[in-house]
Amino acid sequence: MKKKIACFIMKIMARLSAKDVIIFESFFGKQLSDSPKALYDYMKNAKAYQHYRLIWSVKASFEPVFVASGCEFVRRGSFKWIMLMARARYWVNNTRQPDWLVKNSQTTYLQTWHGTPLKKLGTDIEEVTMPGTTTANYRVNFTRDTKKWDVLLAQNDYAANVFERAFQVDSNRIITTGYPRNDRLSNYKVAEVKAIKERLKLPCNKKIILYAPTWKDNQSYRRGKYKAFLEFDLKTMHAELGKDYIVLIKWHYLIADHLTIPAEYDQFAIKVPQTIDINEYFLISDILITDYSSVFFDYAILKRPIIFFTPDWDAYQNEIRGIYPEISAALPGIMVQTTADLIRAIRLEKEPSTAFYDRFCYLEDGLATARVVASVFTKNDEL
């Protein structure tokens, strides 16, 4: 449906009273995951919220996971989706929405976001190098959505301060609760780890390295589709580590995966499905390798080794995106720039400092979902 027509319909429908409907969406409708999933599961199983109709917004071709789960869903961008969005009581999302969406005055937009930042965000980015936009246009389009946010979740005090400035969101709209998605990392059982490995058909006699880099603003096919590439020497990694380790490659949701792993390495370096919640990969991995992704804030909850492989650190910091100095000075792991140093760091298996955990993961106690539901849904229902 064309944007102008959709926007016109929403303007009319949004004047009507909101219904007891909650629309959940994760990573542009591509996943049944993240904090929206944690909130959905909690509310679905709580008697106090049975009067709500819980519906997922799903991008076309990503329906199979939602069908298998048995949850109700609607295709993102369809006429039915527009009608539901216009009269929903809540929107629960972890990324930005299309800027043309019209929000009902009775709708509460809960923005869970999806990470505490190392790389600069929103209006903090001094020069935008993403394709198809300019710095000025990016900031305008970005804040069109953030102005609609009624509640924004923050994982910790540091993130809350960054979000207030970078997203141009008043502090009274930010609640610092920890992330609902991370309750699973605090509450997991050992048997669950074994079950995930068996389901994914992964060997139990080798240690698992999770490689989860972010996307690069200046490496794209087109707007919203970023290139996948391995910056380490796969041949050397395989020769040195193949006997004892396997590497799971988990791309960022904005990366268009056109990378082929050579057949001789495909039992060592495995590209894993994007549709599976990253928490499952966290739980089964022994070491995390990342670059500028926020995933290390979540992985630090497990108190397992973290390695930052950043051969382009200077360029990324000064030319591509920019990095928050407060975090770059407190990284909870080893930073390396070469494959040889990466291999040495992997073998060292150095655990992160407790100081980082105490400063940034202090709210990850397994109760974040309950805090968010009480602060947003229960509180609103009582008004």
Side-chain angles (χ1 to χ4, degrees):
M1 183 178 293
K2 293 186 179 298
K3 292 180 182 179
K4 288 185 178 180
I5 298 174
C7 185
F8 176 74
I9 294 172
M10 286 200 78
K11 284 181 178 178
I12 295 173
M13 297 304 297
R15 295 173 184 172
L16 302 176
S17 59
K19 296 182 176 182
D20 285 339
V21 171
I22 304 176
I23 305 294
F24 297 85
E25 184 177 298
S26 180
F27 298 118
F28 302 112
K30 297 179 181 180
Q31 294 184 20
L32 181 65
S33 67
D34 209 71
S35 291
K37 174 65 161 52
L39 293 166
Y40 169 84
D41 287 341
Y42 185 98
M43 299 183 75
K44 181 181 178 182
N45 295 311
K47 291 182 179 180
Y49 306 104
Q50 295 302 306
H51 59 291
Y52 283 108
R53 186 179 170 195
L54 311 181
I55 306 174
W56 280 88
S57 167
V58 181
K59 184 178 175 63
S61 80
F62 287 86
E63 297 93 343
V65 171
F66 295 85
V67 171
S69 74
C71 61
E72 184 177 0
F73 65 89
V74 61
R75 180 172 293 180
R76 191 177 194 263
S78 67
F79 178 76
K80 183 179 179 180
W81 177 80
I82 290 167
M83 300 293 282
L84 287 167
M85 290 287 285
R87 300 189 66 186
R89 185 75 61 185
Y90 294 93
W91 296 347
V92 180
N93 206 316
N94 66 351
T95 55
R96 291 160 56 196
Q97 296 269 28
D99 58 15
W100 53 264
L101 282 184
V102 179
K103 187 163 76 77
N104 192 308
S105 62
Q106 297 175 10
T107 298
T108 296
Y109 185 171
L110 170 58
Q111 174 56 253
T112 69
W113 202 242
H114 51 270
T116 294
L118 167 61
K119 62 184 181 184
K120 289 188 175 180
L121 294 176
T123 60
D124 278 351
I125 303 174
E126 296 173 11
E127 183 177 353
V128 175
T129 59
M130 304 172 204
T133 189
T134 64
T135 300
N137 287 341
Y138 174 81
R139 289 177 175 175
V140 169
N141 291 333
F142 196 99
T143 54
R144 278 179 184 166
D145 189 48
T146 64
K147 288 176 182 177
K148 299 173 187 174
W149 299 353
D150 297 293
V151 184
L152 169 63
L153 303 188
Q155 189 174 15
N156 47 55
D157 289 333
Y158 158 77
N161 292 332
V162 171
F163 291 165
E164 181 180 356
R165 182 185 63 250
F167 294 155
Q168 300 291 295
V169 174
D170 294 335
S171 60
N172 60 6
R173 288 191 283 153
I174 302 173
I175 57 174
T176 306
T177 57
Y179 276 144
R181 70 181 183 190
N182 288 337
D183 287 350
R184 188 177 182 189
L185 299 180
S186 300
N187 298 328
Y188 79 94
K189 306 296 182 184
V190 174
E192 184 180 0
V193 176
K194 183 180 179 181
I196 296 171
K197 286 183 178 181
E198 290 177 350
R199 176 160 49 82
L200 298 179
K201 296 180 172 58
L202 297 173
C204 293
N205 62 340
K206 292 186 178 183
K207 291 189 174 182
I208 295 176
I209 300 167
L210 176 63
Y211 178 54
T214 192
W215 53 282
K216 303 294 178 69
D217 305 52
N218 63 338
Q219 298 286 339
S220 66
Y221 295 104
R222 61 184 184 277
R223 185 175 182 178
K225 295 289 184 181
Y226 294 87
K227 294 180 180 179
F229 53 89
L230 296 178
E231 295 193 292
F232 52 75
D233 185 330
L234 184 56
K235 181 179 180 181
T236 302
M237 290 276 284
H238 178 255
E240 294 290 333
L241 302 172
K243 181 181 178 181
D244 301 311
Y245 298 88
I246 61 171
V247 179
L248 303 185
I249 302 169
K250 174 67 171 69
W251 300 126
H252 188 279
Y253 68 92
L254 289 178
I255 288 177
D257 181 12
H258 300 307
L259 181 71
T260 300
I261 302 297
E264 60 264 40
Y265 309 127
D266 63 7
Q267 296 303 305
F268 169 68
I270 304 167
K271 296 190 298 182
V272 295
Q274 294 281 41
T275 52
I276 295 176
D277 194 320
I278 195 171
N279 273 350
E280 299 211 338
Y281 300 126
F282 286 159
L283 290 175
I284 63 174
S285 62
D286 299 284
I287 300 170
L288 171 69
I289 301 173
T290 186
D291 47 12
Y292 314 101
S293 173
S294 64
V295 295
F296 71 91
F297 284 94
D298 308 313
Y299 195 79
I301 297 167
L302 297 171
K303 300 180 180 179
R304 299 175 190 173
I306 301 172
I307 302 169
F308 297 86
F309 186 57
T310 56
D312 59 344
W313 176 268
D314 290 338
Y316 196 89
Q317 182 172 229
N318 300 316
E319 302 168 19
I320 299 173
R321 169 65 80 104
I323 296 167
Y324 290 112
E326 184 177 355
I327 299 302
S328 64
L331 294 177
I334 302 171
M335 183 189 295
V336 296
Q337 279 78 41
T338 68
T339 299
D341 286 341
L342 177 60
I343 292 169
R344 280 191 284 270
I346 290 170
R347 287 176 171 158
L348 187 61
E349 296 190 6
K350 182 181 178 181
E351 294 183 359
S353 68
T354 55
F356 183 90
Y357 180 93
D358 293 342
R359 183 179 178 189
F360 298 104
C361 304
Y362 61 93
L363 285 171
E364 305 295 1
D365 56 1
L367 301 172
T369 303
R371 283 194 290 270
V372 174
V373 171
S375 297
V376 180
F377 301 94
T378 304
K379 183 178 179 180
N380 283 359
D381 277 0
E382 292 174 348
L383 294 177

